Amino acid sequence: MAGYKPKVISLTKRPGHSFGFYLRVEYAVDGHLIRCLEMGGPAELAGMKDGDRILRVNGTFVDGLSHSEAVDMIRNSGASVTFHILDEASYEQAKATGVNLSDPQSTPVANSGAKPALKPKLCYLVKSSSGYGFSIRSVNGEQGLFMTEVIRGGVADRAGVSANDRLVEFNGENVEGSTHDQVVDKIKLAGGSTIMFLLVDEETDRHFQNKHMKIGAWLATAKYLPRKPRIIQLTKGPDGYGFLLKEERKHQTGHFIKDVDRGSPADKAGVKEMDRLVAVDGKEVDRCSHQQVVDKIRQSGNKCFLLVVDKDTDQMYKQGQVSPIVFLEEIKGSNSPPSYREALNFPAPVKPSTHVQSRKEELKPKLCKMEKASTGYGFHLNGIQGVSGNHIKEVVKGGVADRADLEDDDIVVEVNGVNVEQSSHDEVVEMIRSSGSSLELLVASESVYDQLQAKGVTITRLLLGETSYAQVHTADTPEEEERHEEARPETPPEAARERTPSSSSEESVDERL
């Protein structure tokens, strides 16, 4: 065990960014390998090296787990994660000599990098026949109420409650100034069989107190909640998205989905009757008017991302008086490098720049030609496994991609002259990896891409006045093989089906989308 000295490396990433490395499993090579470190990224700055092996994720031994299981553990960690890392030589030596790597002996050396983000937690408890499985205590001379006698395997334990957690809110109401008896009475008088707590553990509590920060549910992690909002990716069909948007004004507040057409894009994407719409393209819509929400969806072009909740999930969040948008913020914060194919890559709201706007009038794609540097091309490719459509993300400033005019949220149309609009994320990643030391990407900003699609124009390098990739890269090409796909004539987009607002009801407004 003398040569076994793992490092503990804690990484924290900004929303919409990654930890800055690839996790790989390679043929005839043991372990979960760290590869392709991004220069200046969180992983590289924290001391990770190419070839290092991940032994543990947040304290859980993963060396014997499958790649997908390790990926899921990292993905579910949110914006912060702690790794136990062993360097390549030590790992290979340990394997060769039969060392039990799961043995927690020998004190790991911790890095001086960023620590995992500390967050309060939302815990939703559904009462069983034996109760909730916890008690509340107060301490003389110490402010606050604390969880105690948390029964192992009981309701509270399974909901994420731990002994000594301090109670901040009960069902969305701050109870930090309440007495023990007052809180017990609130729980007894609440009725029903469910309760929602906002809790902080000891370390998190100290962290917020030292920073003199107020603790609220908007800062909380939602990872312990049993019901999850759903992220829906929609691509518009010839008849629109195929659902009705309804604004309730009396019995229920919010924007609700109605009359989902069978076989429509909405139906195929999993939209359900009476789902409540929480956000459009990452922007919360609870405070928006019906028309503002409709406009947001229409402005998305031919693709739209919705955050929705069903009735039970909606009720759970409302019980805690917190918006489901907290779930979306965690999802955004957990975006991972391209090799984490299982991770959901939800796009952050696009921040228009004057550079993008100046090209919008031209309605042209960009041809970006790159020569790989020792650190790679300097961008990440975001997509969803098995789903077509790939976006450029995290373009490294001053890197190869940046110098080639590649920008965040550009949509990849061609890779080395091959159209990839209908290709899966895995297929495009493999094409890029197998391209050698040079790469040509035909890309378009989201705005340009959507406008050209709406006009029925096929996006090729011909729109730039460029010759085909085959002409440029193949010598002595026979003339009869030099056929190029011409841009189709512009045609006006088909009008989306609409249902006019109902004038007979003051309780709802309907709109077909």
Side-chain angles (χ1 to χ4, degrees), residues 468-488:
S468 74
Y469 185 86
Q471 281 181 297
V472 174
H473 294 272
T474 303
D476 301 322
T477 305
E479 188 176 25
E480 60 270 19
E481 294 183 4
E482 294 179 8
R483 295 190 292 267
H484 313 304
E485 185 176 8
E486 298 292 339
R488 294 195 296 269

Side-chain angles (χ1 to χ4, degrees), residues 25 54 78 148 162 170 201 208-209 217 342 496:
V25 174
I54 292 179
T148 187
S162 299
F170 166 70
D201 60 31
F208 279 88
Q209 287 181 13
E342 295 85 346

Side-chain angles (χ1 to χ4, degrees), residues 170-462:
F170 166 70
N171 284 350
E173 177 188 354
N174 188 283
V175 294
E176 290 176 289
S178 301
T179 66
H180 177 276
D181 290 342
Q182 286 173 331
V183 172
V184 170
D185 287 342
K186 287 178 187 293
I187 294 174
K188 289 179 178 178
L189 294 173
S193 60
T194 61
I195 56 177
M196 179 83 85
F197 286 143
L198 179 67
L199 303 168
V200 285
D201 60 31
E202 294 175 272
E203 185 181 7
T204 304
D205 205 10
R206 285 195 301 269
H207 171 75
F208 279 88
Q209 287 181 13
N210 290 338
K211 290 184 173 291
H212 305 289
M213 292 176 61
K214 180 177 175 59
I215 299 173
W218 62 89
L219 298 170
T221 175
K223 67 181 181 181
Y224 296 103
L225 297 180
R227 299 189 180 100
K228 308 295 184 187
R230 305 189 325 275
I231 296 173
I232 305 292
Q233 179 184 2
L234 295 178
T235 300
K236 187 180 290 184
D239 296 319
Y241 292 119
F243 69 88
L244 195 71
L245 186 66
K246 182 177 183 179
E247 182 183 24
E248 292 284 358
R249 295 179 178 174
K250 189 175 181 181
H251 303 296
Q252 295 173 294
T253 58
H255 306 279
F256 293 85
I257 290 172
K258 289 278 291 180
D259 299 344
V260 179
D261 294 339
R262 188 171 182 178
S264 66
D267 181 39
K268 292 177 180 178
V271 177
K272 303 299 181 185
E273 194 80 6
M274 288 307 292
D275 277 345
R276 184 170 74 85
L277 180 59
V278 178
V280 176
D281 290 339
K283 292 288 188 179
E284 191 172 7
V285 297
D286 281 352
R287 295 180 178 85
C288 296
S289 69
H290 172 75
Q291 190 56 50
Q292 286 173 327
V293 179
V294 170
D295 289 343
K296 285 180 182 292
I297 295 174
R298 287 177 174 163
Q299 289 165 6
S300 298
N302 291 323
K303 290 185 178 180
C304 188
F305 290 82
L306 309 179
L307 182 71
V308 301
V309 287
D310 59 28
K311 182 179 178 181
D312 291 337
T313 306
D314 198 19
Q315 182 58 42
M316 179 189 70
Y317 275 91
K318 285 180 177 177
Q319 187 163 344
Q321 297 184 38
V322 60
S323 170
I325 204 74
V326 298
F327 170 84
L328 180 58
E329 293 303 320
E330 280 198 296
I331 290 294
K332 285 185 189 177
S334 65
N335 285 341
S336 305
S339 58
Y340 296 168
R341 297 185 300 273
E342 295 85 346
L344 174 65
N345 296 296
F346 191 85
V350 177
K351 297 179 181 179
S353 66
T354 54
H355 186 51
V356 172
Q357 289 172 342
S358 66
R359 280 202 314 269
K360 190 183 293 183
E361 298 297 322
E362 299 176 350
L363 289 185
K364 288 184 178 182
K366 299 179 295 182
L367 184 61
C368 302
K369 302 178 181 181
M370 294 164 275
E371 294 292 330
K372 185 185 287 187
S374 59
T375 55
Y377 291 114
F379 71 89
H380 285 162
L381 186 72
N382 274 17
I384 300 174
Q385 187 177 21
V387 178
S388 59
N390 291 274
H391 292 68
I392 299 297
K393 287 289 185 182
E394 299 177 44
V395 176
V396 178
K397 189 164 186 177
V400 174
D402 183 42
R403 295 196 301 270
D405 202 25
L406 211 58
E407 296 177 287
D408 281 0
D409 299 311
D410 281 346
I411 297 173
V412 180
V413 180
E414 291 182 3
V415 175
N416 293 337
V418 178
N419 186 280
V420 296
E421 290 175 277
Q422 300 303 316
S423 300
S424 69
H425 177 70
D426 290 351
E427 291 169 336
V428 179
V429 168
E430 184 55 37
M431 290 177 70
I432 293 174
R433 286 176 177 167
S434 61
S435 65
S437 60
S438 63
L439 178 66
E440 286 190 14
L441 297 181
L442 184 70
V443 302
S445 69
E446 287 186 336
S447 174
V448 169
Y449 186 87
D450 289 340
Q451 289 183 71
L452 289 174
Q453 277 206 329
K455 293 175 180 293
V457 176
T458 300
I459 302 175
T460 71
R461 63 186 65 211
L462 293 175

